[in-house]
Amino acid sequence: MTDEIQLDLLDAPSDPGGSNNIERLPLEQYTEKAYLDYSMYVILDRALPNIGDGLKPVQRRIVYAMSELGLSAASKHKKSARTVGDVLGKFHPHGDSACYEAMVLMAQPFSYRYPLIDGQGNWGSQDDPKSFAAMRYTESRLTPYAKVLLQELGQGTVDWVDNFDGTLKEPALLPARLPNVLLNGGSGIAVGMATDIPPHNLREVVNACLQLLKKKSSTTEELQAHIPGPDYPTSAEIISTPKEIAAIYESGKGSIKMRALWEKENTDIIITALPFQTSGGKVLEQIATQMRAKKLPMVADLRDESDHENPTRLVITPRSNRVDIKQLMSHLFATTDLERNYRVNMNMIGIDGKPQVKNLKKILSEWLEFRRTTLIRRIKWRLQKVLERLHILEGLLLAHLNIDEVIRIIRENDEPKPILMQHFNLSDIQAEAVLNLRLRNLAKLEEFQIRAEQEDLINERDELQGLLDSPKKLTSLMRKELKEDAEKYGDERRSPIVAREASRVLDESALIPSEPVTVVLSKMGWIRAAKGHDIEPQSLSYKQGDKYQDSALGRSNQQVVLLDSTGRSYTLAAHTLPSARGQGDPLSGRFKAAQGSSFKAVLMGKNEQLFLLGSSFGYGFICKFENMLSRAKAGKATVSLGKTGAELLAPAPLLDPENDFVAAVTSEGYLLIVKASELPLLPKGKGNKIINIPPKRLKSGEEKVVAIIALTAASKLIVHAGKKHKVIQGAEIVEYQGERGKRGKLLPNGYRKVSHLEIA
């Protein structure tokens, strides 16, 4: 059954039966229409600027209301609450806070490239744009630039529409003399669409308009010769390439990248300009957060020295003179708001009343069409006024030439108007003007003034008619007025467009001081790091029931790899480990290892360093350190042990896989030395068989591989068996060499219960 909704029709004829005053609609149809109506309202009457004056309705109403209050640039400031009250009461029945915020935005020189409102009081700061005072405290008036929008308002240039309650008229658009939609830009979110138009330099935009007036078929490339890119209210650099900016102007969409300006002062770094709408306080907080996390050890101090003379002055003090300043700044650009991307989506309501994303040429072409139409309407309005005045002057002149007869008719008749009209062939307007003449205007001198005014108006009429008849003359007038406004309101570019290298985040290891450390792992999975390589890990204190498991030597800026009993590898940064003065941190709090598993080995080294990995079943392979790294808390499978009861052997470093050897020894004292080149280099896996153990003995657990180790031909191999040890070197090493996968040679009696191998 379809859901339906009942709508009361207030204007329906009364029907006692009640059958005609209810309209039934399917709920789906009603909600669809209601939502579409709301969407169109938001798009057309709230969120998107119009290409003509570049304003949203609330902005247009604020500017118009201020002009009606007489708040021109030459007047005194008035309380902002007065303006907001007028706007809400007469034109914009919405929230006062939203209206005031729109007003504040147009007054902030760091938000608007060419502010429309001149504010007095606290109107916010770049560091905190929303810190403005309440409207009962601030005062405002229009800026001289606002005259660009209002100058031709009362000259028949725009359509007037009813306000929300039909008691007043308001302009549908303001007759902008410049393309304000590009000069101040704008942003907004509608339903299903948004707009982000960057601001531009007035002189550059006017030059592009002149180029289009000169050559209608100008390409985007030709226009970009005049408009190299946006021009924000800040002097921070635009680092987008000309090619990227050209693509934006061609499509109307893209993004602009801005970067802060900085300079070196003695040993300090001084930030002198921030990207558009960037808070200095937020930037300092972002840097301080990195410092607290020990990710920025080369920075010693931060200060904000901004004041009235230096609106932006952020000071960064490096830790020493050896710090690479350019590298540090590149890192800060990549990780803080010192470099920002700004979305460009030049979506606006065109002269056809429809929203559309337009490219640069389309925007300028449409605006010039709007300007031409406005200019024609202004000329026609003025021409009409001139013709009306000439008509009146013609009647006044006729009255002056026949003044005695006019006076006689007026004196002798109670209703002289129709008689004057008939006697002198005057129109109603002319007769009314004659009757309204004052006695002082009957002087002989007045006739000369009428003739002079008539002559001036005739010349003006001919000039205006000439403009309407000649598109070429009209274009010349447009060019002239554009140049005049550019000269009056234009200024130099603020945001330089500069080619810069892409910013890079410094590798975390590069940010950490490189100091020797010894990482110690305990049997119960507690880890810590001691400074230096000269400590005895076994001599450290351990928790009750815990003891030493493994240790690795490395640097504080290196990664640490841990291997568990299931063959999975885990990674953490050495500089994050607790000091060896305590008993460390449990690895269970850092990783999600499989239940029942335990951490067996700890490794440190460079990414290219090779390690020998193997299992108690006699399999092994060579693995690069970087292949064991893992970001996952659950680690990653590195050594495949299978489900047959194989155990992970202690990894051993390998220097030269082409010339080194690998020694493997079993629990029954069989020792085999093979060439390392016979083992594969794998990122993970099971590897190849190094030494053979009879399957029955392997499955029953009677025999297994105890240790594997890498050695050179000149190494001394020390076999540890209980408290005894045997040194194997020189020719004796050759005796134990054989093919990979063989049984090996039995060690002498007394040395067969091997615990581990060692290289002297």
Side-chain angles (χ1 to χ4, degrees):
M1 181 180 177
T2 305
D3 290 330
E4 292 186 343
I5 190 167
Q6 293 185 354
L7 301 179
D8 290 333
L9 300 180
L10 300 178
D11 55 349
S14 60
D15 181 11
S19 58
N20 293 332
N21 63 345
I22 293 177
E23 179 185 358
R24 294 185 179 274
L25 284 176
L27 183 60
E28 179 184 0
Q29 182 181 334
Y30 172 75
T31 52
E32 180 182 354
K33 182 180 182 302
Y35 188 70
L36 281 174
D37 289 346
Y38 169 73
S39 301
M40 290 307 297
Y41 165 74
V42 172
I43 291 168
L44 299 176
D45 290 326
R46 185 183 295 181
L48 300 188
N50 192 290
I51 195 171
D53 56 13
L55 299 176
K56 301 177 188 179
V58 65
Q59 296 170 329
R60 186 179 304 118
R61 287 162 176 165
I62 289 169
V63 171
Y64 174 64
M66 291 184 74
S67 70
E68 287 294 285
L69 284 170
L71 295 175
S72 68
S75 68
K76 289 184 178 180
H77 293 82
K78 277 187 181 177
K79 287 287 183 185
S80 302
R82 173 73 187 279
T83 298
V84 172
D86 261 38
V87 173
L88 300 187
K90 294 180 178 178
F91 311 112
H92 197 75
H94 295 278
D96 59 341
S97 59
C99 178
Y100 182 50
E101 280 194 33
M103 186 176 173
V104 168
L105 196 69
M106 292 191 288
Q108 292 176 335
F110 48 84
S111 296
Y112 253 48
R113 182 63 178 84
Y114 299 96
L116 296 171
I117 294 173
D118 174 19
Q120 191 168 271
N122 177 14
W123 289 80
S125 65
Q126 184 172 349
D127 202 46
D128 186 6
K130 301 244 179 202
S131 63
F132 51 85
M135 59 183 169
R136 61 181 176 273
Y137 299 118
T138 59
E139 298 179 342
S140 57
R141 65 182 179 188
L142 293 170
T143 61
Y145 172 78
K147 195 175 180 183
V148 167
L149 303 173
L150 298 163
Q151 188 171 335
E152 300 174 357
L153 188 58
Q155 300 177 24
T157 49
V158 293
D159 295 326
W160 293 78
V161 295
D162 289 334
N163 70 337
F164 65 90
D165 62 0
T167 58
L168 295 168
K169 293 286 186 181
E170 62 175 312
L173 282 177
L174 296 182
R177 291 169 59 96
L178 292 171
N180 186 60
V181 70
L182 279 179
L183 301 185
N184 276 320
S187 63
I189 300 174
V191 177
M193 62 178 66
T195 182
D196 286 281
I197 306 168
H200 290 77
N201 184 272
L202 194 153
R203 290 177 183 169
E204 292 174 358
V205 171
V206 166
N207 287 336
C209 289
L210 296 176
Q211 167 72 25
L212 265 180
L213 288 173
K214 180 181 178 182
K215 181 184 174 185
K216 196 174 182 179
S217 60
S218 295
T219 63
T220 303
E221 187 178 354
E222 289 172 325
L223 294 176
Q224 204 178 347
H226 301 286
I227 306 178
D231 186 24
Y232 292 90
T234 171
S235 54
E237 298 173 338
I238 294 174
I239 60 171
S240 297
T241 64
K243 189 176 180 181
E244 291 170 338
I245 297 173
I248 292 170
Y249 284 151
E250 195 67 58
S251 66
K253 287 186 173 183
S255 66
I256 293 289
K257 188 173 287 187
M258 288 194 83
R259 182 179 286 182
L261 284 182
W262 65 279
E263 59 188 34
K264 194 174 178 185
E265 188 177 285
N266 299 323
T267 58
D268 291 337
I269 300 166
I270 312 296
I271 310 292
T272 58
L274 293 170
F276 180 53
Q277 292 180 334
T278 297
S279 163
K282 185 179 178 184
V283 169
L284 290 179
E285 179 58 32
Q286 289 171 334
I287 300 174
T289 300
Q290 293 189 49
M291 291 172 68
R292 285 193 293 270
K294 297 183 180 178
K295 293 183 178 180
L296 214 55
M298 65 271 288
V299 175
D301 189 28
L302 293 173
R303 295 190 306 279
D304 186 354
E305 296 183 354
S306 305
D307 54 27
H308 289 292
E309 292 183 7
N310 302 290
T312 302
R313 183 180 169 85
L314 308 181
V315 183
I316 303 171
T317 305
R319 193 166 291 280
S320 71
N321 293 331
R322 293 181 303 231
V323 173
D324 188 333
I325 301 295
K326 289 185 178 179
Q327 193 180 41
L328 170 60
M329 289 307 299
S330 179
H331 172 77
L332 292 177
F333 289 141
T335 58
T336 70
D337 284 349
L338 288 176
E339 181 177 301
R340 288 183 64 181
N341 279 335
Y342 296 91
R343 186 178 65 171
V344 176
N345 181 24
M346 296 198 283
N347 191 6
M348 61 195 73
I349 298 170
I351 54 176
D352 59 356
K354 297 177 182 178
Q356 186 186 6
V357 176
K358 304 178 188 294
N359 61 23
L360 180 64
K361 183 180 178 181
K362 181 76 171 171
I363 292 171
L364 293 176
S365 300
E366 277 200 33
W367 183 83
L368 286 172
E369 189 179 338
F370 164 80
R371 180 61 191 153
R372 186 181 293 273
T373 303
T374 304
L375 200 55
I376 289 171
R377 291 182 66 163
R378 188 188 85 192
I379 292 168
K380 285 182 176 179
W381 177 84
R382 180 58 189 164
L383 181 60
Q384 183 62 33
K385 293 292 181 186
V386 167
L387 292 175
E388 288 174 1
R389 182 62 180 165
L390 280 172
H391 182 63
I392 290 171
L393 289 177
E394 187 180 345
L396 292 176
L397 189 61
L398 190 63
H400 271 275
L401 293 175
N402 301 278
I403 191 66
D404 294 334
E405 184 66 15
V406 168
I407 292 172
R408 185 189 66 76
I409 292 172
I410 293 172
R411 289 185 66 183
E412 293 178 358
N413 297 279
D414 293 333
E415 293 289 338
K417 186 175 179 180
I419 299 171
L420 286 173
M421 291 172 64
Q422 184 179 0
H423 193 275
F424 295 106
N425 196 22
L426 298 177
S427 68
D428 184 87
I429 296 172
Q430 288 174 322
E432 191 66 36
V434 170
L435 290 172
N436 287 333
L437 272 174
R438 294 183 178 181
L439 289 174
R440 66 170 64 181
N441 292 335
L442 299 179
K444 184 70 175 173
L445 185 62
E446 188 68 22
E447 182 183 336
F448 294 112
Q449 290 177 347
I450 290 172
R451 290 187 182 277
E453 184 182 354
Q454 193 176 39
E455 187 177 347
D456 290 341
L457 289 175
I458 289 170
N459 292 334
E460 186 179 354
R461 179 198 63 192
D462 295 342
E463 185 180 342
L464 293 172
Q465 194 61 53
L467 287 170
L468 292 175
D469 295 340
S470 171
K472 192 174 180 181
K473 285 183 179 180
L474 195 65
T475 301
S476 296
L477 179 61
M478 288 174 67
R479 293 174 62 88
K480 178 188 172 188
E481 291 185 350
L482 283 169
K483 287 179 181 178
E484 287 174 354
D485 289 336
E487 184 66 30
K488 188 172 183 179
Y489 303 109
D491 57 4
E492 296 299 320
R493 167 172 279 275
R494 292 187 194 173
S495 303
I497 301 174
V498 185
R500 298 288 186 198
E501 292 182 4
S503 56
R504 292 182 181 178
V505 178
L506 285 177
D507 182 25
E508 192 172 333
S509 60
L511 299 171
I512 309 302
S514 180
E515 298 171 346
V517 292
T518 302
V519 176
V520 182
L521 174 68
S522 79
K523 201 85 173 174
M524 292 171 64
W526 288 65
I527 194 166
R528 49 188 154 168
K531 289 185 178 180
H533 290 166
D534 55 352
I535 70 155
E536 290 290 336
Q538 292 88 343
S539 65
L540 296 174
S541 66
Y542 293 88
K543 287 184 173 291
Q544 189 173 0
D546 200 5
K547 60 181 179 178
Y548 169 79
Q549 170 69 29
D550 194 16
S551 62
L553 305 180
R555 313 293 295 185
S556 57
N557 60 346
Q558 289 181 329
Q559 300 283 359
V560 178
V561 167
L562 294 140
L563 289 164
D564 72 3
S565 55
T566 66
R568 297 185 75 83
S569 61
Y570 306 80
T571 308
L572 46 75
H575 73 275
T576 64
L577 296 178
S579 169
R581 292 192 186 96
Q583 292 173 329
D585 286 345
L587 289 171
S588 58
R590 297 189 181 223
F591 302 119
K592 293 179 180 177
Q595 193 170 5
S597 65
S598 58
F599 290 95
K600 293 292 185 184
V602 57
L603 304 174
M604 292 186 74
K606 295 181 179 178
N607 285 343
E608 302 78 23
Q609 190 165 340
L610 301 175
F611 285 89
L612 184 62
L613 302 178
S615 72
S616 61
F617 276 27
Y619 291 88
F621 63 97
I622 300 167
C623 186
K624 283 186 179 180
F625 183 80
E626 65 183 351
N627 288 331
M628 291 184 272
L629 298 175
S630 169
R631 292 184 178 179
K633 280 194 170 187
K636 74 174 187 176
T638 301
V639 183
S640 298
L641 299 176
K643 299 179 181 179
T644 53
E647 298 175 5
L648 179 75
L649 297 177
L654 182 71
L655 298 177
D656 185 359
E658 295 300 321
N659 300 308
D660 284 359
F661 295 88
V662 172
V665 65
T666 73
S667 57
E668 294 300 313
Y670 285 92
L671 175 65
L672 178 64
I673 299 176
V674 301
K675 289 182 178 179
S677 58
E678 294 188 44
L679 293 180
L681 177 64
L682 300 173
K684 62 179 181 177
K686 182 179 179 181
N688 291 350
K689 183 171 280 190
I690 303 172
I691 187 170
N692 185 39
I693 300 174
K696 286 184 180 181
R697 297 183 63 81
L698 200 60
K699 287 182 180 179
S700 65
E702 293 178 46
E703 188 177 358
K704 62 181 180 179
V705 176
V706 175
I708 54 174
I709 200 165
L711 66 156
T712 66
S715 296
K716 292 180 181 180
L717 178 63
I718 304 173
V719 179
H720 290 268
K723 294 183 179 180
K724 297 164 63 176
H725 68 274
K726 176 178 174 58
V727 178
I728 302 174
Q729 60 181 327
E732 200 175 357
I733 285 182
V734 179
E735 291 180 19
Y736 289 95
Q737 288 183 11
E739 293 182 14
R740 182 185 60 77
K742 297 298 182 181
R743 181 68 168 140
K745 182 181 177 182
L746 200 59
L747 288 164
N749 281 328
Y751 299 101
R752 292 177 182 174
K753 298 299 180 184
V754 179
S755 59
H756 66 281
L757 300 175
E758 187 182 356
I759 301 297

